[in-house]
Amino acid sequence: MTFVVGVTGGIASGKTTVANLFQQEFGIEIVDADVVARQVVEPNSVGLKSIEGYFGHSVIQPDGTLDRAKLREIIFSQPEHKAWLNNLLHPMIRQRMLDELGEVKSEYALLVIPLMVENNLQSLADKVLVVDVDEQTQIQRTVERDAVDATQVKAILSSQATREQRLAIADYVIKNDTENQKLLPQITELHKKFLEISRENR
Ligand code: ATP
């Protein structure tokens, strides 16, 4: 089995930036929970067909893709359906992530799961790497990236796990408050460690 480093962090903490550096610099392959979550509901998938069967045709857009806004609306007004949806999707997402990890050819794999703490998914990883930033930085980067205002970002922050909850499951931490140049030395250092551990465990 490939050695799996789970990567998590709050909104705009830099998970994607960090994972991409491991990939670009060292060829480490990435399995991304957000990507997998979209794949399990792509047109003609079992996931999308089940959702259509349960919620009706109104959640399908003319081009055959899932109408996420519509689905969010339904779940917001009828939260009892959220459990059904999670029970459908979570096992599919989990299985697909495991399948993809099984295909990885690099010496270890990165498994990026934004809501790792919230969904209690740390057991999928051998080690957990938390990308940590202060809230002010998260707010500033999200406002710049997503054209939302600080109030909206604060609402998202309060719906996510706290910094402390994430750090409590961390084996390794990347501090990403500073400029981008400070990232690569931290990543190079961690890469060496991950290689050592994956070789020891082989
Ligand atoms: P999300 O979960 O919200 O999708 P994320 O944790 O994957 O976000 P990124 O998309 O990697 O975070 O980074 C968020 C934003 O912050 C991006 O616009 C990125 O370019 C910027 N950013 C990340 N790291 C740094 C850094 N060290 N210095 C400056 N900007 C950064």
Side-chain angles (χ1 to χ4, degrees):
M1 253 311 268
T2 321
F3 177 67
V4 178
V5 178
V7 179
T8 195
I11 181 168
S13 53
K15 299 174 291 292
T16 310
T17 305
V18 164
N20 287 346
L21 277 169
F22 275 98
Q23 187 175 54
Q24 284 155 24
E25 299 292 321
F26 305 112
I28 300 305
E29 291 177 44
I30 303 167
V31 176
D32 183 326
D34 282 351
V35 174
V36 170
R38 284 194 292 275
Q39 287 168 338
V40 298
V41 294
E42 63 197 6
N44 298 317
S45 61
V46 176
L48 190 59
K49 289 194 174 130
S50 308
I51 290 173
E52 185 181 1
Y54 186 86
F55 290 101
H57 193 64
S58 73
V59 297
I60 309 296
Q61 306 193 93
D63 67 357
T65 59
L66 178 61
D67 189 339
R68 288 167 188 282
K70 178 82 192 175
L71 189 58
R72 257 198 308 274
E73 210 178 277
I74 295 176
I75 280 168
F76 187 74
S77 59
Q78 297 163 285
E80 65 275 17
H81 295 312
K82 190 174 178 179
W84 182 88
L85 191 65
N86 285 343
N87 284 339
L88 171 78
L89 294 179
H90 285 186
M92 293 175 89
I93 294 168
R94 191 190 177 91
Q95 189 54 51
R96 183 141 180 168
M97 291 193 299
L98 291 173
D99 291 346
E100 288 194 9
L101 288 169
E103 303 281 307
V104 164
K105 302 280 182 294
S106 50
E107 284 206 64
Y108 62 92
L110 294 183
L111 177 60
V112 181
I113 308 185
L115 300 180
M116 184 182 287
V117 173
E118 293 82 346
N119 291 326
N120 204 21
L121 291 172
Q122 51 271 32
S123 62
L124 292 175
D126 296 305
K127 294 284 180 193
V128 173
L129 168 59
V130 169
V131 184
D132 183 49
V133 291
D134 61 54
E135 292 203 346
Q136 208 41 53
T137 306
Q138 286 181 283
I139 293 168
Q140 192 194 323
R141 287 182 185 162
T142 309
V143 166
E144 281 169 17
R145 186 190 59 180
D146 300 343
V148 291
D149 63 41
T151 315
Q152 286 168 286
V153 187
K154 282 181 191 158
I156 296 170
L157 280 175
S158 64
S159 75
Q160 296 189 338
T162 62
R163 221 173 148 181
E164 289 69 31
Q165 286 171 321
R166 254 182 240 107
L167 290 172
I169 65 157
D171 296 296
Y172 304 95
V173 178
I174 286 190
K175 302 291 282 175
N176 192 27
D177 297 313
T178 51
E179 342 66 272
N180 256 319
Q181 312 82 285
K182 300 257 174 75
L183 266 180
L184 192 54
Q186 297 183 70
I187 285 168
T188 306
E189 197 56 38
L190 284 169
H191 173 67
K192 284 187 206 147
K193 274 195 194 134
F194 297 154
L195 279 185
E196 264 172 40
I197 304 174
S198 66
R199 284 169 190 170
E200 275 165 19
N201 291 335
R202 212 182 294 150

